[in-house]
Amino acid sequence: MLRVLAVDDERPSLEELLYLLHADPRIGSAEGAGDATEALRRINRALESGPDGPEAIDVVFLDIHMPGLDGLDLARLLTGFAHPPLVVFVTAHEDFAVQAFDLKAVDYVLKPVRKERLAEAVRRAAEQRGSAAPRIPVHEPDPDHIPVELGGVTRFVAVGDITHVEAQGDYARLHTGQGGSHLIRVPLSTLEERWRARGFVRIHRRHLVALHHIGELRLDAGTVSVLVGSEELQVSRRHARELRDLLMRRP
């Protein structure tokens, strides 16, 4: 049974919405607030009460255009809470749907509210509340593997299999000894810092290389390159001396 708060500054609209909510058997309780400030005070009491307390609220049915703090402002404030209630927007305006769903709204119901359409919003809220997954303890990332997305599936690539990394804007492409590559949304500078102790060295603004995968260091008319597998990568002048020193000390 859902515990609901409806928020609308127009009294007739609020009363109609509460009437329809009370008629739905999935609604355990429904109360109203005439503006976002009043609603925020009520939500604060609910959060202090806890999810099983007598003041708890599961879903807020929220108008958008209200004087002072509007519905979108209130929804943004709720995203800062650890356990906010679900939000369903109920509005006469079609123009804010994108912002609403960016704020993780469960549904976006247009006025005048039809009983069948509101029932669908209640169904979605009930399903989302019922499918809330239990919290999983967060662990430190595995330093020996990095997650990559492949065809909608997350796989874990062993860092030891990565021969070199190529910068591609805000992304990085991992190349492995098996000839495969994986694009990840991590800047090359972040991987350089993270994997320095694992033997990765910057050889160019675009490339990070695993020292133990370098097969040859080549000098040709003042240019320096390295052979990594079957691929030859250029070494910039600013990185050439450091790379030579590291390779000379490599066991």
Side-chain angles (χ1 to χ4, degrees):
M1 300 289 282
L2 295 174
R3 298 157 294 185
V4 169
L5 176 67
V7 187
D8 198 315
D9 65 309
E10 296 179 355
R11 191 68 190 177
S13 295
L14 180 60
E15 290 177 352
E16 174 68 12
L17 180 57
L18 287 170
Y19 172 79
L20 293 173
L21 288 168
H22 280 124
D24 193 306
R26 293 164 296 190
I27 303 297
S29 63
E31 58 182 295
D35 57 49
T37 302
E38 180 186 349
L40 189 58
R41 286 196 292 266
R42 177 64 186 84
I43 292 166
N44 275 323
R45 293 203 309 271
L47 295 173
E48 290 171 0
S49 175
D52 299 317
E55 301 271 7
I57 295 171
D58 299 310
V59 191
V60 179
F61 285 78
L62 184 58
D63 189 20
I64 289 182
H65 275 303
M66 293 183 288
L69 196 69
D70 68 19
L72 292 171
D73 293 331
L74 177 57
R76 290 189 189 98
L77 288 173
L78 293 181
T79 62
F81 291 98
H83 303 287
L86 301 174
V87 172
V88 174
F89 284 101
V90 182
T91 177
H93 304 274
E94 300 180 1
D95 304 337
F96 301 97
V98 173
Q99 292 109 301
F101 289 113
D102 282 345
L103 291 167
K104 311 302 182 188
V106 173
D107 208 344
Y108 192 88
V109 179
L110 289 175
K111 297 178 180 178
V113 178
R114 294 183 293 108
K115 179 180 179 180
E116 297 79 8
R117 183 64 185 87
L118 185 65
E120 172 63 15
V122 172
R123 182 191 66 79
R124 293 180 182 181
E127 285 187 354
Q128 187 161 327
R129 179 175 175 269
S131 64
R135 290 185 172 269
I136 300 173
V138 177
H139 302 284
E140 290 297 315
D142 180 356
D144 296 322
H145 294 81
I146 184 166
V148 300
E149 294 293 327
L150 186 62
V153 177
T154 301
R155 301 184 184 277
F156 293 87
V157 174
V159 175
D161 291 339
I162 298 170
T163 59
H164 62 288
V165 187
E166 179 183 2
Q168 294 189 351
D170 291 332
Y171 292 76
R173 183 168 293 280
L174 312 177
H175 295 266
T176 66
Q178 295 77 32
S181 70
H182 307 278
L183 193 65
I184 61 172
R185 194 169 184 174
V186 180
L188 193 67
S189 57
T190 299
L191 294 178
E192 178 185 11
E193 181 177 349
R194 185 184 300 173
W195 290 346
R196 183 179 293 117
R198 304 181 68 88
F200 282 80
V201 60
R202 192 75 165 258
I203 64 166
H204 191 274
R205 63 181 179 84
R206 291 192 57 207
H207 288 113
L208 186 68
V209 173
L211 284 173
H212 62 281
H213 280 294
I214 295 178
E216 294 181 11
L217 178 67
R218 297 178 174 179
L219 304 175
D220 183 15
T223 63
V224 181
S225 62
V226 291
L227 190 66
V228 181
S230 60
E231 191 167 355
E232 185 173 358
L233 303 174
Q234 184 180 354
V235 181
S236 68
R237 289 186 178 181
R238 62 175 296 202
H239 293 106
R241 180 183 293 276
E242 179 188 7
L243 178 62
R244 285 197 299 266
D245 292 343
L246 288 170
L247 288 174
M248 291 294 293
R249 296 200 301 266
R250 187 175 67 175

